[in-house]
């Protein structure tokens, strides 16, 4: 009996580190930009492509500008029932933000809503008598031809307005040592294509000194150095609550704007300072 127990314990111990799925995982990933003209044209430069340090804390995934310590656990096979310690199952990880001890976030909401009660049948209304309206002829009014100079000036004004908004967005101050943002695993969908990961419909947050931005149904386009690492992140995020999607990413998802990027495309200098 003792020999059997020793063999079982040894086999479980040896299994640690042999699989792609991690409870906690961290490492560098490349956040891809969306390109230009709503993604119809690929990025001319790498301005919107950023290296970020991602830290998966099972339920949520943070991303930082600089490398962080800790939060790495051994990898296991995908179908292995991992024996978790109590501190790893701590749901307070959902409300705590590293580097921001004063900030407490609510737990992710339950996305399954209760069934709504059926509405009673409405009584039938009496039929209204048909009313015939007299025909009214409207005289045709010719629209003046648009002035191309005026249209060009209007377009330039709109571009300047968007550009100023993007510039102001880029100047917002970040917290020292805190993450740039976080992605909630529960509720999002994830695809993998080679070395790239596509996260869709995610609930995310961006952290700034003035206020925090909450983003609903946002997308992330990420790339790893190797396909092996992409598989590991893919399985680990699904382990944390993301929904697996096996079909190939669409063109829109491949050019999706990342949550960290500014909404405006008008000013390059604003993109460069993110």
């Amino acid at each position: 009996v003792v020999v059997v127990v020793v063999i079982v314990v040894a086999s479980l111990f040896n299994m640690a580190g042999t699989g792609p799925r991690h409870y906690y995982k961290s490492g560098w990933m490349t956040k891809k930009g969306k390109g230009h003209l709503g993604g119809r044209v690929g990025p001319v430069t790498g301005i919107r492509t950023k290296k970020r340090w991602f830290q998966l804390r099972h339920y949520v995934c943070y991303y930082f500008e600089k490398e962080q310590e800790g939060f790495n656990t051994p990898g296991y096979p995908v179908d292995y029932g991992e024996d978790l310690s109590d501190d790893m199952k701590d749901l307070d990880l959902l409300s705590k933000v590293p580097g921001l001890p004063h900030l407490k976030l609510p737990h992710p909401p339950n996305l399954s809503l209760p069934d709504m009660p059926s509405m009673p049948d409405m009584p039938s209304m009496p039929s209204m008598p048909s009313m015939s309206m007299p025909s009214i002829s409207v005289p045709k009014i010719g629209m003046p031809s648009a002035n191309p100079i005026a249209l060009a000036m209007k377009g330039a004004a709109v571009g300047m307005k968007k550009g100023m908004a993007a510039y102001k967005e880029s100047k917002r101050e970040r917290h020292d040592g805190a993450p740039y943002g976080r992605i909630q695993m529960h509720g999002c969908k994830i695809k993998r294509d080679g070395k790239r990961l596509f996260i869709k419909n995610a609930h995310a947050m961006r952290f700034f000194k003035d206020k925090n931005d909450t983003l609903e149904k946002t997308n992330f386009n990420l790339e790893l150095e190797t396909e092996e690492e992409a598989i590991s992140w893919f399985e680990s995020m699904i382990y944390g609550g993301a929904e697996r999607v096996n079909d190939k990413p669409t063109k829109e998802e491949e050019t999706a704007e990342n949550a960290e990027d500014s909404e405006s495309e008008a000013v390059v200098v604003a993109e460069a300072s993110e």
Side-chain angles (χ1 to χ4, degrees):
V1 175
V2 175
V3 174
V4 174
V5 172
V6 170
I7 293 175
V8 172
V9 172
S11 62
L12 293 179
F13 178 79
N14 292 332
M15 193 174 292
T18 62
R21 191 197 68 192
H22 297 256
Y23 196 88
Y24 296 147
K25 185 176 178 63
S26 57
W28 290 105
M29 277 194 271
T30 300
K31 289 175 79 274
K32 295 286 187 177
K34 70 170 185 178
H36 310 281
L37 299 177
R40 292 187 292 274
V41 179
V44 178
T45 66
I47 288 175
R48 281 199 167 183
T49 297
K50 305 290 184 183
K51 281 277 191 180
R52 293 287 180 251
W53 181 265
F54 281 77
Q55 188 182 86
L56 177 64
R57 300 191 176 193
H58 191 62
Y59 312 100
V60 292
C61 188
Y62 294 95
Y63 54 92
F64 300 78
E65 182 183 22
K66 299 178 181 179
E67 183 174 343
Q68 305 293 308
E69 296 181 353
F71 281 91
N72 280 292
T73 54
Y76 287 91
V78 175
D79 57 352
Y80 175 71
E82 188 174 356
D83 186 15
L84 304 174
S85 59
D86 290 336
D87 59 339
M88 293 174 71
K89 294 181 286 187
D90 183 11
L91 290 177
D92 284 340
L93 286 172
L94 297 169
S95 58
K96 297 176 181 177
V97 180
L100 300 174
H102 63 281
L103 180 62
K104 297 296 181 182
L105 301 176
H107 287 185
N110 183 5
L111 299 181
S112 60
L113 299 176
D115 296 332
M116 297 297 291
S118 58
M119 298 295 291
D121 297 333
M122 297 295 292
S124 58
M125 299 295 292
S127 58
M128 298 292 293
S130 59
M131 302 289 291
S132 58
M133 298 295 292
S135 60
I136 302 175
S137 60
V138 179
K140 296 181 178 180
I141 302 175
M143 295 295 292
S145 58
N147 188 335
I149 298 178
L151 290 177
M153 293 181 64
K154 182 178 179 181
V158 172
M160 287 293 293
K161 184 177 180 181
K162 289 184 177 180
M164 289 302 298
Y167 181 76
K168 291 179 180 179
E169 174 75 9
S170 70
K171 293 300 180 183
R172 295 174 68 186
E173 292 186 46
R174 302 278 191 172
H175 298 275
D176 294 334
Y180 273 19
R182 91 171 193 169
I183 311 167
Q184 179 179 297
M185 294 293 99
H186 180 63
C188 76
K189 298 181 179 182
I190 183 170
K191 298 181 183 182
R192 185 186 68 84
D193 184 17
K195 298 187 296 182
R196 299 176 70 181
L197 301 177
F198 302 90
I199 300 176
K200 187 177 181 181
N201 292 339
H203 175 90
M205 293 191 69
R206 298 191 304 169
F207 303 110
F208 297 95
K209 285 187 177 181
D210 56 348
K211 66 173 184 176
N212 301 318
D213 295 341
T214 300
L215 306 169
E216 299 288 351
K217 295 184 178 181
T218 191
N219 302 332
F220 289 83
N221 181 344
L222 310 172
E223 185 171 351
L224 281 300
E225 293 293 330
T226 65
E227 186 170 353
E228 181 181 5
E229 266 299 289
I231 293 173
S232 179
W233 277 99
F234 181 68
E235 296 296 345
S236 300
M237 288 181 171
I238 292 170
Y239 190 28
E243 179 183 346
R244 180 194 305 266
V245 180
N246 292 322
D247 56 320
K248 291 290 184 179
T250 64
K251 185 64 176 177
E252 291 181 354
E253 289 166 340
E254 289 183 345
T255 57
E257 181 176 14
N258 282 308
E260 186 186 348
D261 295 325
S262 168
E263 295 179 356
S264 175
E265 304 170 353
V267 176
V268 172
V269 66
E271 299 173 355
S273 58
E274 288 181 354

